[in-house]
Amino acid sequence: MTLKPTITDSELYKQCCFYGAEARRWTKKFAALLPEVERRELYSKYGFHSVFEFAAKLAGMNRETVLEVLRVSKLLENKPLLQAQLAEQGWSKLRVVTSVATPENEKMLVEKIKEMSKPTLEAFVKEIKKGN
């Protein structure tokens, strides 16, 4: 893609915002696939030595991010409503609720994840922990 030399700063900024948001959206979707890629050992079927190499070469994800995605997914394996949010909300927001998530409260937590920013969600979880 080549930009016209006459593109304004405002138009350029709008394009940057759009493509940046799209990149984040697709990265979340890719990350949500990693637990299944690891479970099936799909990476080895396509010549990769590990799920880490698979994620690095296909999506530019670093080892720490892959480890965290897999850890969060494992913590949520008996909470399918929350786990389904991995592709939409991302692993970092889900990580915030893993310490308080139960099968009984997962529906409520899904709603909170959808409506709250990450800092607000962190404060909410802190309050839940104080109440226990």
Side-chain angles (χ1 to χ4, degrees):
M1 178 178 127
T2 34
L3 295 176
K4 299 177 203 168
T6 58
I7 189 169
T8 67
D9 287 354
S10 175
E11 291 168 333
L12 178 59
Y13 178 72
K14 285 178 186 176
Q15 285 186 5
C16 288
C17 290
F18 174 77
Y19 290 122
E22 288 298 299
R24 287 188 303 276
R25 184 169 73 95
W26 289 110
T27 298
K28 287 177 187 177
K29 291 185 180 302
F30 179 86
L33 300 174
L34 290 176
E36 187 64 15
V37 167
E38 183 184 46
R39 187 187 72 74
R40 294 183 190 188
E41 296 184 4
L42 184 71
Y43 54 87
S44 66
K45 293 177 185 175
Y46 288 90
F48 297 97
H49 296 290
S50 68
V51 68
F52 305 107
E53 180 187 6
F54 179 89
K57 288 190 175 177
L58 296 182
M61 293 179 83
N62 65 44
R63 181 179 184 82
E64 293 74 26
T65 300
V66 174
L67 280 171
E68 198 59 23
V69 168
L70 296 175
R71 187 184 77 77
V72 167
S73 179
K74 180 78 173 157
L75 290 170
L76 298 176
E77 68 185 359
N78 66 337
K79 299 159 193 86
L81 298 176
L82 281 167
Q83 200 162 39
Q85 294 304 304
L86 195 55
E88 299 305 316
Q89 299 298 322
W91 63 269
S92 65
K93 272 182 104 173
L94 286 168
R95 177 181 59 188
V96 172
V97 301
T98 57
S99 62
V100 297
T102 65
E104 295 76 31
N105 71 4
E106 74 170 318
K107 189 173 182 181
M108 177 269 296
L109 289 174
V110 166
E111 292 305 314
K112 297 298 182 188
I113 287 169
K114 288 180 180 180
E115 66 189 33
M116 292 180 171
S117 67
K118 187 177 172 188
T120 305
L121 190 60
E122 288 168 341
F124 176 74
V125 167
K126 194 173 185 178
E127 289 301 312
I128 289 176
K129 287 180 178 180
K130 280 184 185 178
N132 290 339

